[in-house]
Amino acid sequence: MNLNVSKRKNGRIYLYIEKSYRDKITGKPRKKNVKTLGYVDELEKQYSDPITHFREVARQMTLEEKSSRQITLTVDMNEDLSMNAEGSKNFGYAVPLKIYHELGLDQFLKNRSRSEKFEFNANSIMILLVISRLLSPGSKIKAYNEKSRYFERFDFSKDDVYRALTYFDKISNDLQRYLHESVRMKYECDTSIIYYDVTNYYFEIKKTDENRKRGRCKQNRKKPIIQMGLALDKKGIPLHYELFPGNCLDKQTFRSVIGEVRKKYDTGRIVVVADMGIITGDNIYYLTGNKPEKPKNGYVFSFSVRGGTKAFKSYVLDEKGYTDGSGNLLEDDADFKVKDRITYRDINVTMESGKIQKKTVYEKQVVFWSKKYYLKARAERAEMIAKAEALIARPGEFNKDTSYGAAAYVKNLEYDKKTGEILNTGKVLYINESKIAEEEKYDGYYSIVTSELGMSVADIIDTYRGLWEIEETFKITKSDLETRPVYVSEYSHINAHFLTCFVALTILRLIQQKTDGKYSTAKILECLNKIQCSHEDENIYLFNYRNEMTDTIGNAFSIDFTKKRRTLLEIKKILGNVKI
């Protein structure tokens, strides 16, 4: 309680006592008038100093209110735990739960499932799978067995969870589009730039099937994999994903995912950013159309220096034209240099008839050199050369898998096609010095090509650097969210698994965005996990974790994480408010 001393337009001073509280709907701090006192000049007839008097009254009212909330606990040091005591409950899940409901995912699932014949609560199951993926990732069985960790009423069976996965697969594309539209309306997004990349997830199985096939695993495992193509918007918020068989090449996934985004996400003209694994004539032509002077959609792609033409390599190595990025001449010890040009090149395009035709595209080529990347390339190669030298000295200790990377620098190396063992052909193994020398020429150099001829060099480089967001996103899914290993085998269940991961990832990115990118995703998840409480007495729960980060997250989402104790009713009220 506080005394409000208000000066009115007529010059008189008016007093009233107000109380601070949090709005039940918004969670924002508010104040309300609890006692009207009157004008000071009139109150002076009763009190010698009305302001001092009523400040003390407000203080006493505060003490009385606090006293009414105080209880006395009697602690029995010999008391046993009750049978089936549940331990701590998580309360940090209130944050992702709030975003889940702000995005209207609950209404989407409730509306869509009304016409279905099943009786389980699809929305309730989705909530469990999403918050479990964020705060306690693992199998669906693990999520089900830990459902009492939260204050939600999860009234469904283990079998219902797997039945729901089949349903989630059925509505996957619709849910992704709905999610994007909700993000656009509630959190804003920018689809003028689309980041695209491909990764894969391995399965702990020996036999392949229609979708889980052997391909180029990015973790260098000889396991069946599934490919995922993922598109993010300019802010790094997940937009759309699709799954592909493990033997599908990265470049073959592009048109399917980007086509879905273009047709059904109301993006307008887009500029797609991707790495060199995507850059093919067909994909460029698909984006830009048949008018090279006025591309329908645009691209910013990394472009291989070492794989470029002889003329392009000469351009890269020619010191003429390089500046420090601001148009200034280079100093002798410069850590960065860049140059650009507008040029044209021919690409091979597969026409509808199946025939290959050459098409001309006009591009801005940006080439830059970074000392940081130069030193990184040299250090990585030094490790591989050391490994190659060990391989030459002790070939019996290596095979095709364990010699990965180093084998490129060893001449006369051959493997047994069945076992992968290194064959003793009688030929002398030695370091390929010419290959090393050729690679060293281009250490630290990177190149980018774009259809956006009017885009500045700085914007091109900054735009391409945003692709690291998607690489970071894949790392998050594989580490923080533990998307792999996948514990389900039916394809519909596999897709549903990735859908719940996609929703969880979107929510996690929005938490990051709402807290101004102050914290890594790992730190956010660790924090939310530690916001727990334990049952202390009757309906009272004790909290034991608070720091600057909990306050920042709480303030961002108008959820009070500052109290040491709360009643069960208070906890349920907060959780009820985040669902509004």
Side-chain angles (χ1 to χ4, degrees):
M1 307 285 183
N2 293 294
L3 179 67
N4 189 304
V5 181
S6 175
K7 188 174 183 180
R8 299 297 171 88
K9 291 181 179 179
N10 58 12
R12 300 173 72 189
I13 296 174
Y14 195 84
L15 303 182
Y16 60 90
I17 294 175
E18 64 182 11
K19 178 181 179 180
S20 299
Y21 71 101
R22 281 188 178 271
D23 189 288
K24 291 182 179 181
I25 297 176
T26 66
K28 294 181 178 180
R30 304 285 189 196
K31 292 180 180 181
K32 65 179 179 180
N33 185 349
V34 295
K35 190 170 184 178
T36 299
L37 301 173
Y39 289 104
V40 168
D41 55 359
E42 293 180 356
L43 292 170
E44 284 176 340
K45 297 175 182 178
Q46 295 178 266
Y47 308 97
S48 59
D49 187 349
I51 293 177
T52 301
H53 173 78
F54 284 108
R55 276 184 176 150
E56 176 61 23
V57 170
R59 191 180 75 84
Q60 290 296 328
M61 290 174 69
T62 300
L63 292 174
E64 288 174 9
E65 185 178 58
K66 286 184 177 179
S67 177
S68 68
R69 286 181 53 81
Q70 292 177 353
I71 63 170
T72 300
L73 296 178
T74 301
V75 179
D76 181 357
M77 297 300 292
N78 294 317
E79 184 179 7
D80 293 334
L81 274 173
S82 60
M83 186 61 67
N84 301 319
E86 295 180 349
S88 299
K89 282 185 176 288
N90 181 271
F91 188 56
Y93 81 96
V95 172
L97 191 66
K98 181 166 187 175
I99 295 178
Y100 182 95
H101 284 81
E102 280 181 347
L103 296 176
L105 291 172
D106 58 321
Q107 288 302 317
F108 173 84
L109 287 167
K110 288 173 184 177
N111 292 337
R112 286 296 297 264
S113 60
R114 280 174 184 159
S115 59
E116 300 291 339
K117 294 181 180 179
F118 55 70
E119 297 181 358
F120 56 79
N121 188 327
N123 176 55
S124 186
I125 293 173
M126 178 64 82
I127 289 174
L128 174 63
L129 295 181
V130 169
I131 62 176
S132 295
R133 181 57 50 189
L134 288 167
L135 301 179
S136 184
S139 67
K140 305 299 174 282
I141 294 176
K142 179 175 183 278
Y144 180 82
N145 290 339
E146 291 182 353
K147 66 182 188 298
S148 61
R149 185 173 183 248
Y150 312 101
F151 286 96
E152 301 301 301
R153 184 182 177 186
F154 292 127
D155 189 16
F156 47 79
S157 69
K158 193 181 300 182
D159 290 338
D160 286 337
V161 173
Y162 288 96
R163 295 187 188 102
L165 293 180
T166 303
Y167 175 64
F168 294 154
D169 169 62
K170 175 182 173 183
I171 63 171
S172 174
N173 283 344
D174 290 345
L175 191 148
Q176 289 183 64
R177 288 194 292 272
Y178 179 88
L179 182 59
H180 162 67
E181 185 62 21
S182 294
V183 171
R184 187 180 69 81
M185 296 291 291
K186 301 291 176 63
Y187 282 83
E188 298 183 355
C189 62
D190 187 343
T191 55
S192 61
I193 301 290
I194 302 292
Y195 291 101
Y196 183 72
D197 203 358
V198 182
T199 194
N200 45 55
Y201 297 87
Y202 63 83
F203 290 74
E204 295 291 353
I205 57 174
K206 293 182 179 179
K207 292 184 178 181
T208 62
D209 57 27
E210 185 178 353
N211 296 289
R212 296 176 293 179
K213 295 183 177 294
R214 299 191 191 280
R216 187 178 179 183
C217 180
K218 298 184 189 293
Q219 292 77 42
N220 299 318
R221 293 175 179 261
K222 302 302 178 183
K223 300 283 186 182
I225 59 175
I226 272 186
Q227 294 273 65
M228 173 191 277
L230 177 65
L232 273 66
D233 74 4
K234 189 176 181 179
K235 294 183 178 181
I237 305 299
L239 187 62
H240 179 71
Y241 82 90
E242 284 184 32
L243 300 182
F244 301 89
N247 60 355
C248 184
L249 299 177
D250 289 6
K251 62 186 179 182
Q252 295 172 326
T253 68
F254 180 81
R255 277 168 283 168
S256 180
V257 177
I258 297 302
E260 181 76 6
V261 169
R262 287 176 57 202
K263 294 172 186 174
K264 299 180 180 178
Y265 283 72
D266 193 25
T267 59
R269 186 180 189 271
I270 60 174
V271 175
V272 180
V273 186
D275 65 20
M276 64 185 71
I278 304 299
I279 184 169
T280 66
D282 287 346
N283 288 338
I284 288 175
Y285 189 73
Y286 176 76
L287 276 175
T288 59
N290 57 7
K291 293 183 179 180
E293 70 284 356
K294 190 177 181 181
K296 187 165 48 176
N297 292 285
Y299 60 86
V300 176
F301 290 160
S302 63
F303 192 69
S304 174
V305 174
R306 292 188 176 93
T309 64
K310 186 176 181 180
F312 180 69
K313 289 179 179 179
S314 296
Y315 171 72
V316 170
L317 296 178
D318 185 356
E319 290 298 320
K320 184 180 179 181
Y322 278 107
T323 70
D324 65 357
S326 300
N328 302 316
L329 295 176
L330 295 172
E331 297 179 3
D332 292 338
D333 59 346
D335 290 342
F336 180 84
K337 62 183 181 180
V338 62
K339 67 177 177 179
D340 68 286
R341 66 180 181 180
I342 293 177
T343 185
Y344 66 90
R345 64 187 175 95
D346 290 334
I347 58 174
N348 292 323
V349 178
T350 306
M351 309 308 291
E352 290 184 9
S353 63
K355 292 182 178 181
I356 305 295
Q357 286 189 13
K358 286 191 180 296
K359 298 288 184 179
T360 300
V361 292
Y362 294 90
E363 296 177 325
K364 177 178 280 192
Q365 295 177 340
V366 177
V367 178
F368 62 93
W369 178 90
S370 164
K371 187 175 182 179
K372 176 183 174 182
Y373 297 149
Y374 168 83
L375 295 175
K376 181 174 181 287
R378 289 292 169 107
E380 289 175 350
R381 186 180 300 104
E383 288 183 10
M384 287 299 103
I385 292 174
K387 184 177 176 181
E389 290 171 342
L391 187 157
I392 291 170
R394 303 181 301 277
E397 297 178 8
F398 293 84
N399 57 36
K400 190 172 184 178
D401 291 338
T402 58
S403 63
Y404 182 83
Y409 300 108
V410 180
K411 291 287 284 185
N412 297 328
L413 189 63
E414 295 183 31
Y415 299 99
D416 185 297
K417 292 182 180 180
K418 291 184 178 180
T419 65
E421 294 180 353
I422 295 176
L423 295 174
N424 184 3
T425 61
K427 296 179 181 179
V428 177
L429 302 180
Y430 63 95
I431 297 292
N432 190 340
E433 298 288 354
S434 61
K435 179 178 177 63
I436 294 172
E438 179 64 19
E439 286 190 357
E440 285 180 341
K441 291 181 185 178
Y442 307 103
D443 285 348
Y445 285 100
Y446 279 78
S447 63
I448 303 170
V449 295
T450 179
S451 59
E452 308 306 284
L453 307 184
M455 187 182 285
S456 71
V457 170
D459 285 344
I460 292 169
I461 294 175
D462 285 344
T463 298
Y464 181 74
R465 281 176 177 161
L467 188 61
W468 297 338
E469 282 275 4
I470 200 167
E471 293 173 355
E472 177 66 20
T473 296
F474 281 138
K475 290 177 183 177
I476 292 167
T477 63
K478 292 178 178 180
S479 56
D480 299 342
L481 302 186
E482 295 183 22
T483 305
R484 64 179 191 212
V486 184
Y487 294 98
V488 289
S489 56
E490 291 183 23
Y491 179 76
S492 61
H493 291 181
I494 292 170
N495 186 39
H497 164 73
F498 283 107
L499 177 65
T500 59
C501 293
F502 180 85
V503 174
L505 178 62
T506 302
I507 289 174
L508 182 55
R509 282 300 199 192
L510 291 175
I511 296 174
Q512 242 186 339
Q513 180 176 307
K514 192 90 173 191
T515 51
D516 299 323
K518 289 182 179 180
Y519 311 109
S520 68
T521 53
K523 287 291 185 184
I524 290 172
L525 295 179
E526 179 185 12
C527 177
L528 295 180
N529 241 320
K530 287 183 176 180
I531 301 176
Q532 300 186 64
C533 57
S534 55
H535 184 236
E536 187 173 38
D537 185 73
E538 294 186 3
N539 70 334
I540 299 170
Y541 283 81
L542 176 67
F543 294 79
N544 63 0
Y545 183 74
R546 181 189 176 190
N547 56 24
E548 180 184 339
M549 191 172 174
T550 62
D551 284 3
T552 299
I553 294 175
N555 291 334
F557 291 93
S558 301
I559 301 173
D560 187 0
F561 290 128
T562 65
K563 302 300 182 187
K564 188 172 183 177
R565 288 180 177 84
R566 286 195 182 278
T567 65
L568 180 60
L569 179 60
E570 289 173 329
I571 291 171
K572 288 189 174 180
K573 276 187 176 180
I574 292 172
L575 293 173
N577 288 337
V578 304
K579 297 176 183 177
I580 295 175

